[in-house]
Amino acid sequence: MTATIPPAIGQPLSRVDGRAKVSGTARYASEIPVPDMAYAYVVGSRIAAGRVIAIDTSAALAEEGVLAVLTHQTLPKIAEQPPLIPSLAGTAAPGQTFFPLQDDTVHYAGQQIALVVADTWERAQYAARLLRVSYAETPPVTTLDQGRGLSYEPERIFGGWVPGRIERGDVEAGLREADVRVGGTYTYAANHHHPIEPSCTTAQWDGDDLLLYDATQGVNATQMTVSRLLGVPMSRIRVIGHYAGGSFGSKAMIHAHPTLAAMAARAVGRPVKLVLTREQMFTSVGHREEQEQHITLGATHDGRLTAVRHHKLSPTSHFDDWAEPSVGTSSQIYACPHYEGVYRLFRANTMTPTFMRAPGEASGMVALECSLDELAHELGLDPIELRLRNHTDVDAMTGLPWSSSGLRECYERGAQRFGWAGRDPRPGTRRDGNWLIGTGMATACYPVAPLANPQRARARLYADGTAVVQAATPDFGTGVATVMAQVAADGLGVSVERCRFENGDTDLPNIAAAVGSAGAGMISAAVHSAASALRRQLIRSAVGDPGSPLHGADPVDVVVHDGVITAGTASESYSDLLRRTFRPDAEAAGQWKPPAHDTPYAMMTFGAQFAEVAVDAELGLVRVRRMTGAFAPGRVLNPKTARSQLMGGMLWGLGQALLEANHMRPDTGRWVNSSLGEYLVPVNADAPDVDVELIEVEDDIVNPLGVKGVGEIGQVGAAAAIANAVHHATGRRVRRLPIMIEDLL
Ligand code: MOS
C-alpha cells in the first residue's frame, strides 16, 4: 500500500530560504558580483522648483577613478516618454510620466540631475560632492496648506484605474433625512515604505544584450519598462531579481534608476551598479501622499446609514493625476443608499506618489471606521452591532454579490479572542494606575486585485523523483518559494521536500509583478495549473503504456501520492515510469487567466481588527497593549507565512496610527525627515502581543485555489482600531495621523 502523505497546502512550513537569508548566503540584487564593475552615484536637486543653470563637472572629472559625469546635457535622450498607465499586469510601469535628466527643469527636490560613475562607490560619492551646480529657483508648492486654493477635480486617478468621482443616489438628500450626522476632517502625514534593502540595479551590456540585476516586485515589469525607455527590444533584455529585501510598493513601479544604470553602463562601457542611498529612498521611489479626508455619515436612530460623503484632497506631481484610492471601500462595504466620493488634487513640487501597502484602503478606512465609532458612540450602540446593522452581502456600489466574505465570522471570532463582550462603552472609565485604558475595533477590507493578463508557470519532474517549478516572480519577503513548493507538491502528487520553486528571472515563464496582495493568488494559480498538467500528462502516459502496471486503467480512478501513481491494486512510481520509457524528465506548462472584470461577482477580502491601548493621562503617551486581527483571506496556503504577513501589516497599522510621518518644508520644498533615525517606525519595544486568527472561506471565483491574499489587509483597519481605542481611553477623538502626544495633553 502507498503511504499517504498529508496535503502540503495548509501546512505551516518554515521558509525554505530562511536559512540562506539569515546566514547571508541568499544573494540580493546588489550583492551579485560582476567583473569590472563601475559604480554610479545619483546626484539629486537641492531645489524643489526651477531650473539647473549650469553644472561644473571639471573638478569631479579630474578625480582619480572617475569615468563619467552624466547630466541633462550629456545623458542620451530616452526613446519614448514613460507611459502613465501603471498597469503592472501587461505594460511598462515607470511610476511617473516624467523621466529625469532630459532637460534643465527641476520639478521636485531630490530629482536626479546628474550621475557620477567611478571605479569605486566611494570615489563616485566623493566626486559627486565636487559638482558645482547653479540653479534658478522659483518658490515651491509642496504642502496641503499651500495647495488648498489650487485644487482641481481629476477625471481619473491612480494611473487611470479609478474615477475621480464615485456617486450613487443623492447624498444631500440622504444627509438631510438622517437623524444623526457625524464626521469631520482627517489629516494624514506623508509616509515612506523604507524596506531594509534600498532600491538598486546592476546593468551589464554584452553587445546589444542587456542584463539587469534588479531589486523589484516584478522582473517582467522592469524588462518592459527599460525596453520602452531605451528602445531596446524585450528579447534583448534579461532581468534577474531573486530576492528583494522588502518592498511594500516601493519596488512595484519601475522608477528611473534601472534605466539610468543601463544608460550609465552603456556610456562607460562597463557594468554599472547603482544603489540608492537611504536619503534618496525618500525622493526616488514614490511615497504615500500627505492627505486630508472630509467624511460625513448620516444615519437613522437605529443606526442604519442613509448617506456617506467622503472627499479627499492631496498633492500630486506636475505631470500625473495620482492619488491613492482612499475613497473607494467606503462606497462598497456597508449598505447605504446615498454615496458621494470625490478626489481633489493640486499640482505640487513632488514626484508622483505611488503604491504603499494597502494603497488607499489604509488611509480611507481610518476616516470611515473612526466615523462609525463616533456614530456608535452617539447612538449608544456597540460598534460591532452598528457594523452588523449595515452589513451587506453585495458590493454596495455595484450590487454584485461578494465572491466570498466571512466578515461576520471575523467580527465574531475576533471579538471572542480579544474579549470584546461586556466592554463598558463609556470613555475614560478604565484605569491601570496612571494609564487610561481603552479598546477599539474596526473593519478591515482589501479588494482582490483585478489583474488581467495571463500568468504562466512551468513544472518539470526528473526521473529521480525531484521536481522544479518555475515562474519569473521575485521573492520580496513574502515566502513565495516556500508556498509555491507546497502548491506544486499537491498538484503533482509528490512530497514538498522534493519540490523546488525557481524564480526571479525573466527567462522563466512570465508572471505579472506581485502587487495588490495578488502574488499568492496569481502565482499559485499558474503553478497549480502547470503541476496539474504535468500530473495528467504522466497519468496519461502510464495508462496508455502496455509496459505499465497501470495500463488500461481509467485516468479518473488514478491517484498519485508521494510520487506513486496508483489505480486500485496497480501502481508505479513516477521514477519507474520515466526510467522505463527512457525519459530523463517530463515537463508541462501552466497558464491562468484571471477573471478580472468579467465576473458577476465583487471580490473583496475582509477582516476585523481590535486594539487595546494605554494612554498616560499626564504625558499623553500612547502604548498599544494588545492587537487582535481576524481575517478571511480565502484559502490559506501556509498559515505560518500568512500569519507573518498579517502581523507585519498590523504592526504597520500601529506605525501609521502613532509614529510614521514626514512633512515637506513649505519654504524649501524638501522633506523634513531624510533618515531612518528621524522617520519613526515601530520597533520591538513598541510591538504588543499580536494575535492573528485565520478564518478560511471557500472561494471558487477569485482563482483555482481560492486564495484572496494577505499582503495588505493586515494594515487596513489597524490604525482605526487604535484611534478608536484612544478615544475610548481618553474621550478624545483625534483626527490626525499619526496621533501625537500634543493631541492628548
Ligand atoms: Mo503593493 S502596495 O500593491 O505593491
Side-chain angles (χ1 to χ4, degrees):
M1 277 315 300
T2 324
T4 53
I5 51 167
I9 291 176
Q11 297 297 320
L13 297 188
S14 294
R15 288 158 192 269
V16 294
D17 45 12
R19 191 175 293 270
K21 285 181 169 180
V22 298
S23 63
T25 52
R27 282 264 172 84
Y28 286 77
S30 75
E31 297 177 320
I32 296 172
V34 174
D36 199 32
M37 186 136 72
Y39 300 80
Y41 183 84
V42 178
V43 180
S45 169
R46 297 180 67 80
I47 65 163
R51 281 188 317 111
V52 173
I53 295 174
I55 302 180
D56 180 353
T57 60
S58 51
L61 282 168
E63 273 302 310
E64 196 184 339
V66 173
L67 303 168
V69 178
L70 300 164
T71 68
H72 66 275
Q73 287 170 318
T74 52
L75 190 84
K77 298 293 172 244
I78 48 168
E80 189 185 328
Q81 189 68 19
L84 171 66
I85 299 293
S87 167
L88 299 139
T91 63
Q96 58 183 8
T97 53
F98 169 76
F99 193 83
L101 285 156
Q102 300 292 294
D103 62 32
D104 61 1
T105 319
V106 175
H107 291 294
Y108 53 92
Q111 174 192 317
Q112 299 93 330
I113 57 162
L115 274 179
V116 179
V117 189
D119 60 354
T120 70
W121 161 250
E122 290 75 13
R123 281 173 165 168
Q125 194 178 17
Y126 176 70
R129 301 220 174 98
L130 303 176
L131 295 182
R132 291 289 161 260
V133 186
S134 46
Y135 300 98
E137 192 172 358
T138 51
V141 169
T142 50
T143 65
L144 276 173
D145 286 338
Q146 291 173 311
R148 198 164 275 119
L150 308 170
S151 71
Y152 62 96
E153 192 180 312
E155 209 159 292
R156 301 190 77 78
I157 56 150
F158 204 51
W161 276 336
V162 174
R165 176 177 279 264
I166 310 165
E167 289 173 296
R168 69 170 175 268
D170 177 347
V171 82
E172 277 304 324
L175 288 173
R176 263 197 316 273
E177 72 199 36
D179 300 319
V180 197
R181 282 168 287 272
V182 298
T185 297
Y186 286 77
T187 57
Y188 306 74
N191 288 173
H192 301 269
H193 318 78
H194 283 313
I196 290 300
E197 177 203 36
S199 294
C200 55
T201 309
T202 300
Q204 183 176 22
W205 289 92
D206 177 6
D208 293 334
D209 291 326
L210 175 62
L211 174 61
L212 297 170
Y213 297 102
D214 190 33
T216 177
Q217 282 173 248
V219 287
N220 302 101
T222 301
Q223 181 191 33
M224 284 184 269
T225 304
V226 174
S227 163
R228 279 185 71 168
L229 297 188
L230 292 184
V232 172
M234 282 182 60
S235 56
R236 292 289 197 184
I237 301 177
R238 180 179 177 195
V239 182
I240 295 176
H242 296 298
Y243 301 105
S247 184
F248 321 116
S250 68
K251 295 163 184 163
M253 298 287 207
I254 311 308
H255 296 284
H257 58 274
T259 308
L260 289 174
M263 290 169 123
R266 192 143 63 178
V268 301
R270 285 169 66 168
V272 164
K273 174 150 90 178
L274 192 168
V275 182
L276 297 182
T277 63
R278 184 54 65 184
E279 185 174 353
Q280 289 167 354
M281 288 294 285
F282 284 84
T283 55
S284 315
V285 294
H287 54 272
R288 196 195 301 279
E289 65 270 16
E290 180 190 17
Q291 56 194 277
E292 187 171 279
Q293 295 177 24
H294 310 270
I295 192 163
T296 311
L297 309 185
T300 59
H301 283 306
D302 63 353
R304 281 170 223 284
L305 289 170
T306 59
V308 174
R309 186 164 60 204
H310 193 178
H311 290 196
K312 166 173 169 171
L313 171 71
S314 59
T316 188
S317 66
H318 275 256
F319 17 93
D320 299 315
D321 286 343
W322 181 279
E324 58 168 14
S326 314
V327 173
T329 48
S330 60
S331 74
Q332 296 177 278
I333 65 163
Y334 297 115
C336 171
H338 307 290
Y339 181 86
E340 179 187 85
V342 179
Y343 295 89
R344 292 193 73 82
L345 296 173
F346 63 91
R347 299 260 174 241
N349 294 103
T350 169
M351 75 175 299
T352 304
T354 198
F355 307 114
M356 186 170 147
R357 202 169 198 177
E361 296 78 15
S363 64
M365 289 291 284
V366 171
L368 179 64
E369 293 299 307
C370 290
S371 301
L372 278 168
D373 197 67
E374 201 180 336
L375 185 60
H377 186 67
E378 287 279 314
L379 297 173
L381 275 177
D382 179 79
I384 297 178
E385 173 57 26
L386 174 64
R387 284 164 176 82
L388 289 172
R389 288 193 187 177
N390 292 286
H391 184 82
T392 174
D393 292 320
V394 302
D395 178 332
M397 200 61 217
T398 61
L400 297 175
W402 305 120
S403 62
S404 60
S405 166
L407 178 56
R408 287 177 188 278
E409 293 84 343
C410 289
Y411 290 138
E412 201 175 310
R413 289 292 294 135
Q416 265 170 20
R417 288 186 75 107
F418 185 78
W420 182 262
R423 171 184 185 259
D424 182 343
R426 293 168 304 149
T429 46
R430 263 180 78 195
R431 265 186 178 263
D432 174 10
N434 217 29
W435 297 91
L436 297 166
I437 309 297
T439 55
M441 62 79 57
T443 303
C445 65
Y446 188 78
V448 178
L451 297 173
N453 69 315
Q455 312 294 320
R456 288 194 287 267
R458 184 161 54 212
R460 185 184 305 140
L461 180 81
Y462 291 98
D464 68 2
T466 62
V468 174
V469 278
Q470 300 173 317
T473 184
D475 181 327
F476 50 97
T478 52
V480 69
T482 312
V483 171
M484 294 312 146
Q486 293 175 257
V487 171
D490 287 358
L492 264 174
V494 301
S495 72
V496 67
E497 294 77 24
R498 290 179 162 247
C499 284
R500 193 165 58 82
F501 184 60
E502 211 172 78
N503 63 304
D505 187 338
T506 49
D507 279 359
L508 302 178
N510 178 58
I511 286 279
V515 294
S517 295
M522 68 186 185
I523 302 163
S524 70
V527 165
H528 175 73
S529 159
S532 313
L534 182 52
R535 179 213 288 250
R536 285 195 303 272
Q537 181 197 116
L538 290 163
I539 289 174
R540 268 199 314 274
S541 164
V543 300
D545 178 359
S548 169
L550 291 132
H551 181 243
D554 185 338
V556 301
D557 299 329
V558 176
V559 293
V560 187
H561 276 303
D562 207 8
V564 179
I565 320 168
T566 306
T569 53
S571 71
E572 176 174 42
S573 71
Y574 278 152
S575 294
D576 289 345
L577 171 67
L578 289 173
R579 288 192 175 119
R580 194 167 42 70
T581 50
F582 307 105
R583 285 180 285 177
D585 60 37
E587 192 175 279
Q591 185 168 179
W592 175 68
K593 174 93 173 68
H597 310 278
D598 49 359
T599 143
Y601 292 93
M603 298 183 287
M604 183 80 79
T605 309
F606 291 100
Q609 302 260 17
F610 297 81
E612 178 177 299
V613 303
V615 181
D616 186 301
E618 278 138 38
L619 300 177
L621 279 175
V622 182
R623 293 286 181 258
V624 178
R625 290 196 167 177
R626 294 190 292 135
M627 297 176 85
T628 290
F631 305 96
R635 188 195 301 252
V636 177
L637 296 172
N638 178 328
K640 188 183 262 186
T641 53
R643 197 175 296 275
S644 292
Q645 286 286 304
L646 292 162
M647 281 175 65
M650 290 168 72
L651 290 170
W652 202 325
L654 189 163
Q656 184 195 6
L658 302 175
L659 294 165
E660 285 198 54
N662 207 357
H663 301 278
M664 290 272 207
R665 274 182 61 146
D667 52 348
T668 63
R670 291 164 68 168
W671 290 114
V672 171
N673 291 335
S674 59
S675 78
L676 274 184
E678 294 165 323
Y679 185 86
L680 303 183
V681 296
V683 297
N684 280 340
D686 299 305
D689 270 357
V690 177
D691 176 37
V692 176
E693 171 84 340
L694 294 164
I695 287 153
E696 291 221 8
V697 288
E698 270 181 43
D699 192 319
D700 49 15
I701 303 297
V702 289
N703 47 52
L705 295 176
V707 176
K708 297 173 83 176
V710 291
E712 332 227 10
I713 192 171
Q715 187 179 351
V716 184
I722 291 168
N724 291 339
V726 167
H727 174 263
H728 186 227
T730 64
R732 300 229 198 167
R733 181 68 62 189
V734 183
R735 296 194 180 88
R736 175 173 82 160
L737 294 190
I739 295 170
M740 312 283 275
I741 285 171
E742 53 265 41
D743 295 320
L744 297 171
L745 292 179

